[in-house]
Amino acid sequence: MEYKKCYLYGLKSKKKLLELLHINRKIYCKSSFLNCKIKPYIDINKNNKKRLVEAPDEDIKNIQSIILRSLQLINVPNYAFSGIKGKCYIDNARVHSNKKYLFKIDISKFFPNIGRNKVYNFYLNKLKTSPDVANILTNLSTINLDLKNQNNKTMLKVNDFINDVHIKERNHLITGAPLSSIMSYFANVDMFERINKIALKYKITMTVYVDDIVFSSNNKIPYYFRKGVLNIISKNSYDVSVKKCKWYNVPENKKVTGVILDKNGEMQVPNKLMLKTHKYIQEVKDGNKTNIDKLQGCLVVVNSINGKFKEYRGQLKRIKKK
C-alpha cells in the first residue's frame, strides 16, 4: 500500500500538523478537551434495538474530514470498501454477483472495540509520524469514555449498554464520526491482509465493508477456511455476531450489504425498498409531491442495483419542474 501518498505520511512537526488541519488552538491537541466535544448516547431504533452513538461537534467533524481526505489518497486493495472514496455498499455486493457460494461475517460492535492503541499504531507505524503527532491524530480519532462524567444520566445508560454488550475498549474509535469507517479498515489492515492472503490461496473473493466481511466462490467454501478466518478475527480481540454469520452451500438468494443476489447471482432490489419505491411513484402519479425527494433517492439506489426504474428518471425531472 502506498502510504506515502497521504500528506500526513512522515509528519514529525506538531506545528505543521496543526496548520494542515486548520487548527489554531493548541487545546485541540488534548484528549480531555476533545472528549468534551463528543456526546455519547444510546439510540433506540424502530425495532427497539439499541446502539452506541458518539456524536462529535462540527469543529471535530471538520477536522476529521480533513484527515479523512488525506487518508483517501492512499491506494487500497480492491477488496476494501470501508469509507473508500468512489465505492459504496452496492459496489461491495456487485463483486460477489455471479458467484454460487458465499460466506459472510459481521464483526460485533466493531467501532467501539477498536481500541486507541490500534489507531495510534496506524499513525505511528504505517504513516510513520512522530509519536507526538501520532498522539494528537489519535486524540482526534478516538473517545475516552473514562474522561466523561460517570454520574451523568446519559453516561449511566452508556455504561449499562457497554456492560450488557461486552464492549472491551472504553477508549476507542469514535462511532459517529466522518473518519471512522476508513479508520476501521486502516487500524486493522494487517488482520484484513492476512485474511485476504488466505482467501486468494483458495481462489475465494473477499470484500470488507466496515464490519461486514464477505467471501464468495463458484466452489463450495470449505469449513476449515471459515474456521481459520474466525480464528484470525478472534486473535485480534474481536467477536463475530453469530446471528449475522452465515454461509450458503447451495445456490440460493443471498443478502450482501443490503443487496439481494438471486440464485443465478444476479443483483436484485430488496422487497422493502421496491415496495417503498412503488408507493412513492403512485403518490406522485396521484399528484402528491410530498415524498418526491425520497422517491428520487430510492430511484438512485434501485437504478444503481439493476436499473429497473430508469424510465422514471426523466419523468421525475419533468414533474419537479412543474
Side-chain angles (χ1 to χ4, degrees):
M1 233 176 300
E2 296 181 46
Y3 292 112
K4 289 182 180 179
K5 289 192 173 184
C6 174
Y7 52 72
L8 296 173
Y9 183 86
L11 196 60
K12 309 295 182 185
S13 165
K14 288 196 292 184
K15 182 179 178 182
K16 181 64 176 176
L17 173 65
L18 297 183
E19 288 176 3
L20 287 171
L21 300 181
H22 301 158
I23 296 173
N24 54 21
R25 296 171 63 199
K26 289 185 178 180
I27 196 169
Y28 276 80
C29 300
K30 295 184 178 294
S31 181
S32 55
F33 172 75
L34 294 172
N35 272 267
C36 295
K37 297 175 77 63
I38 305 168
K39 294 183 179 179
Y41 63 93
I42 302 303
D43 180 58
I44 303 176
N45 66 13
K46 291 183 291 185
N47 299 320
N48 208 32
K49 186 177 179 181
K50 297 179 180 179
R51 67 185 181 108
L52 173 63
V53 176
E54 292 154 342
D57 70 7
E58 287 304 311
D59 286 345
I60 303 301
K61 283 184 180 179
N62 290 336
I63 295 168
Q64 281 212 350
S65 294
I66 297 171
I67 301 172
L68 170 62
R69 288 194 292 272
S70 72
L71 296 180
Q72 288 176 330
L73 297 173
I74 301 169
N75 290 334
V76 298
N78 290 335
Y79 69 78
F81 288 80
S82 307
I84 307 304
K85 191 175 182 179
K87 292 184 175 183
C88 70
Y89 70 95
I90 298 172
D91 300 316
N92 178 75
R94 187 174 286 112
V95 172
H96 302 284
S97 61
N98 301 315
K99 298 287 179 66
K100 293 180 181 177
Y101 305 100
L102 189 136
F103 172 47
K104 63 178 185 177
I105 292 169
D106 181 281
I107 300 178
S108 182
K109 304 295 179 291
F110 191 34
F111 285 3
N113 279 314
I114 299 175
R116 177 186 174 86
N117 285 342
K118 289 186 178 181
V119 178
Y120 176 79
N121 287 335
F122 166 72
Y123 287 125
L124 183 71
N125 299 321
K126 300 297 185 185
L127 290 190
K128 306 295 184 185
T129 67
S130 63
D132 53 352
V133 168
N135 187 59
I136 295 168
L137 286 167
T138 304
N139 290 344
L140 289 162
S141 308
T142 57
I143 180 172
N144 186 351
L145 294 177
D146 288 331
L147 296 180
K148 308 299 286 187
N149 179 1
Q150 302 301 304
N151 295 319
N152 178 281
K153 285 184 179 180
T154 301
M155 272 308 300
L156 290 173
K157 291 179 181 179
V158 167
N159 288 331
D160 286 343
F161 176 81
I162 285 173
N163 292 330
D164 289 344
V165 300
H166 309 295
I167 289 173
K168 303 164 189 173
E169 301 284 350
R170 291 185 62 81
N171 193 345
H172 55 246
L173 183 66
I174 304 169
T175 61
L179 178 65
S180 296
S181 289
I182 198 168
M183 183 53 69
S184 72
Y185 170 72
F186 281 127
N188 294 283
V189 66
D190 290 340
M191 176 182 77
F192 291 129
E193 282 289 288
R194 186 179 174 195
I195 295 171
N196 188 54
K197 188 175 180 181
I198 298 171
L200 291 173
K201 180 181 176 181
Y202 291 101
K203 297 181 180 179
I204 293 170
T205 300
M206 164 182 150
T207 61
V208 175
Y209 186 81
V210 192
D211 55 358
D212 288 313
I213 314 175
V214 183
F215 306 91
S216 63
S217 175
N218 283 320
N219 299 311
K220 287 188 176 182
I221 298 174
Y223 170 76
Y224 53 82
F225 171 80
R226 302 197 305 263
K227 186 176 179 181
V229 170
L230 292 173
N231 283 339
I232 292 171
I233 293 170
S234 178
K235 284 179 181 177
N236 281 271
S237 302
Y238 297 116
D239 297 322
V240 169
S241 174
V242 177
K243 290 180 181 178
K244 296 180 182 179
C245 179
K246 191 167 184 180
W247 58 91
Y248 301 85
N249 280 328
V250 293
E252 58 181 302
N253 288 350
K254 315 166 187 71
K255 191 172 185 180
V256 177
T257 52
V259 177
I260 303 300
L261 303 179
D262 67 18
K263 294 177 183 179
N264 299 316
E266 305 258 335
M267 293 176 64
Q268 303 296 340
V269 180
N271 288 337
K272 188 175 180 180
L273 176 57
M274 187 65 81
L275 290 170
K276 188 188 292 185
T277 306
H278 277 297
K279 174 178 172 285
Y280 292 151
I281 287 172
Q282 191 57 52
E283 285 180 4
V284 171
K285 283 182 176 179
D286 293 340
N288 182 358
K289 297 182 183 181
T290 305
N291 291 317
I292 196 165
D293 289 332
K294 291 181 180 179
L295 170 58
Q296 192 165 21
C298 288
L299 290 176
V300 169
V301 175
V302 170
N303 288 327
S304 296
I305 294 173
N306 61 13
K308 277 194 172 180
F309 292 112
K310 280 184 179 178
E311 71 276 11
Y312 283 101
R313 295 183 70 178
Q315 294 179 32
L316 195 61
K317 285 181 181 178
R318 290 192 294 272
I319 292 169
K320 289 188 81 172
K321 285 179 181 179
K322 290 180 181 179

